[in-house]
Amino acid sequence: MAKEVADAGILQDEENEQLYVVKSRLEQDDQPDLAKPDLYRALELNPGNFQAAKSLLDLLFEEEETEEMYRVIEKLRDAGEEDPLYTYYKGKAKHLEDEVEEALVLYEEVRNEIRNDGEAMEEFGYLLIENGRRKDGFEALRQAVILQEDNAGLAAYVERLIQED
C-alpha cells in the first residue's frame, strides 16, 4: 500500500527527490534491486541529497559493488558535493578490496567526522587492531561500545582486550 502511495506521488511530481527516497526505503528490504534506480533518480534530481547518497552507498556496499561505489562517489564529487561520508565509503570499499593501508588512510582522514557513528568506529577499530595498531584500535572500539550500548558482542570483545593488557 505504501509503495503504491509513493508511486502515485511520483506520478504527480516526478521532480520530488524525497518521494524516490521514501519509495526506495520501502523497497530496500524486499527488493533492493528496485531501490537502487529510485536512489539514482533522487541523486540525479539533487546530488546533495545526503539520505539518498548514504542509502545507495549502503546498498552497493552490502552487494560488494566497490567499482560502482567509486563511480557514485566520483559523480557526486563532480557535481560539487563534498562530504566526509564519501571518503568514509571509499575507505569501506578499499577495505572490501583488502587494500587495508589505503582504507586506514581514508578512515584516519574522516576520524573526527565518524567518531559519533558506532558502526563506523567499530569498523575502524577492528581495522586498526588487525594492522598492529592495538592502542588506537582499542580506543576506537571503546568509543564504539559507548555508542552501541546494545552490542553485547563488541562489549565482550573490548572487555577481553582490557583483560589481556
Side-chain angles (χ1 to χ4, degrees):
M1 176 72 173
K3 279 195 269 189
E4 290 81 17
V5 172
D7 283 331
I10 289 170
L11 284 174
Q12 292 295 313
D13 185 0
E14 293 178 359
E15 303 299 309
N16 186 331
E17 82 223 39
Q18 291 306 320
L19 290 172
Y20 292 98
V21 174
V22 168
K23 184 178 173 207
S24 74
R25 272 193 224 128
L26 297 169
E27 295 167 334
Q28 280 181 1
D29 292 334
D30 301 336
Q31 302 167 306
D33 285 341
L34 294 178
K36 285 192 283 188
D38 291 323
L39 294 169
Y40 281 111
R41 178 66 177 138
L43 289 172
E44 181 182 304
L45 292 168
N46 178 8
N49 188 316
F50 180 81
Q51 188 57 50
K54 184 177 184 326
S55 295
L56 179 57
L57 290 168
D58 281 336
L59 282 173
L60 294 172
F61 178 77
E62 287 173 20
E63 296 173 357
E64 298 185 10
E65 293 183 37
T66 57
E67 289 304 316
E68 185 63 10
M69 288 174 73
Y70 296 136
R71 194 183 75 68
V72 168
I73 291 166
E74 190 63 34
K75 191 171 182 177
L76 291 168
R77 287 185 168 153
D78 287 348
E81 296 302 319
E82 280 300 323
D83 192 290
L85 170 81
Y86 307 138
T87 302
Y88 168 67
Y89 275 96
K90 191 173 179 182
K92 287 174 67 98
K94 293 290 183 186
H95 192 187
L96 270 178
E97 295 175 333
D98 290 327
E99 295 180 27
V100 176
E101 294 298 321
E102 290 180 57
L104 276 172
V105 167
L106 292 166
Y107 282 179
E108 286 283 358
E109 196 175 309
V110 294
R111 182 181 210 148
N112 287 333
E113 287 82 4
I114 65 172
R115 74 174 183 269
N116 292 318
D117 180 329
E119 288 181 25
M121 290 305 289
E122 181 179 357
E123 290 172 28
F124 185 41
Y126 285 132
L127 190 59
L128 287 164
I129 288 172
E130 288 172 24
N131 288 281
R133 293 178 54 192
R134 187 176 169 95
K135 182 180 178 197
D136 290 337
F138 175 72
E139 289 304 317
L141 290 176
R142 279 185 33 169
Q143 177 68 18
V145 167
I146 292 167
L147 295 167
Q148 298 181 72
E149 295 173 359
D150 59 337
N151 189 334
L154 177 60
Y157 179 71
V158 169
E159 188 60 35
R160 280 194 305 276
L161 289 176
I162 291 169
Q163 291 173 0
E164 289 173 8
D165 280 348

